[in-house]
Amino acid sequence: YLIAQELGPKAMCLVDLGHHAPNVNIEMIVARLIQFGKLGGFHFNDSKYGDDDLDTGSIDPYRLFLVFNELVDAEGTPGLNLAHMLDQSHNVTDPIESLMVSAMEVQRAYAQALLVDRAALSAYQDGNDALMATTTLKRAFRTDVEPILAMARLEAGGAVDPIATYRASGYRAAVAAVRPRVTGAGGGIV
């Protein structure tokens, strides 16, 4: 934030969910950057030990939800024009499948955040009732939004189960068959 502030009004901050020390209150950082007009965007991923760049929401889906809670709360804020990116490293999983899973987790967290009773949450926050504020948030987080998301995918012409559809398509095998063989040391992992 200090560097972005010194650089001027065009400099913004990027929140990379995989680049924080353990137990950092990322949602508070997001709220403060929104408050100061310096939030520019996100690298959505997750981490366990450091900059793991794991699939979004794979380690801490509640933290992802809390970040989206702040974003939903800030909707309509003048000048808030965020860039959203997936930033992942695929050492073990199929990169396309992992990106699909991450995109679905981002959608899930956003849908759950839209379900938060904002009036009740605000009243509990104003009354300094942390227990009921947390209960209000958890009520939305625990809501199964998968049927809504599946219907939205279907209505948009997408697959209800994107991973199963991708696997059934045989796309990975088809492109692997035409991909040139690596003859030297490759730089890629997958």
Side-chain angles (χ1 to χ4, degrees):
Y1 170 76
L2 293 173
I3 293 168
Q5 188 68 20
E6 283 296 315
L7 291 172
K10 290 184 180 181
M12 304 300 272
C13 297
L14 175 80
V15 174
D16 187 327
L17 297 180
H19 278 276
H20 295 277
N23 303 317
V24 169
N25 188 337
I26 297 172
E27 59 274 14
M28 186 191 75
I29 293 169
V30 170
R32 294 298 177 255
L33 289 173
I34 291 169
Q35 176 186 3
F36 300 139
K38 283 297 186 182
L39 182 61
F42 289 91
H43 276 182
F44 289 113
N45 54 29
D46 216 332
S47 69
K48 175 94 175 148
Y49 299 110
D51 185 19
D52 300 339
D53 286 342
L54 301 175
D55 292 2
T56 307
S58 62
I59 300 298
D60 195 349
Y62 188 61
R63 180 179 65 186
L64 181 64
F65 161 77
L66 292 173
V67 166
F68 270 95
N69 178 62
E70 295 301 328
L71 295 177
V72 168
D73 193 53
E75 285 181 350
T77 299
L80 189 62
N81 184 20
L82 304 177
H84 299 93
M85 297 160 273
L86 298 176
D87 173 27
Q88 297 175 198
S89 176
H90 309 103
N91 297 324
V92 178
T93 60
D94 178 306
I96 294 173
E97 290 181 0
S98 281
L99 289 169
M100 290 166 55
V101 166
S102 289
M104 291 186 293
E105 288 306 311
V106 165
Q107 291 170 337
R108 178 184 326 282
Y110 179 56
Q112 290 168 323
L114 289 171
L115 296 176
V116 172
D117 183 340
R118 301 253 158 240
L121 180 60
S122 181
Y124 293 133
Q125 289 170 330
D126 290 345
N128 200 27
D129 191 340
L131 178 71
M132 289 310 296
T134 300
T135 300
T136 301
L137 289 169
K138 286 186 176 179
R139 187 175 296 120
F141 174 70
R142 290 181 179 140
T143 301
D144 181 9
V145 295
E146 185 55 38
I148 297 166
L149 296 174
M151 183 58 69
R153 287 191 292 268
L154 186 63
E155 288 176 358
V160 171
D161 185 345
I163 300 296
T165 302
Y166 168 73
R167 288 183 172 187
S169 75
Y171 176 80
R172 185 171 175 82
V175 297
V178 298
R179 185 176 297 134
R181 295 189 63 88
V182 175
T183 57
I189 296 170
V190 180

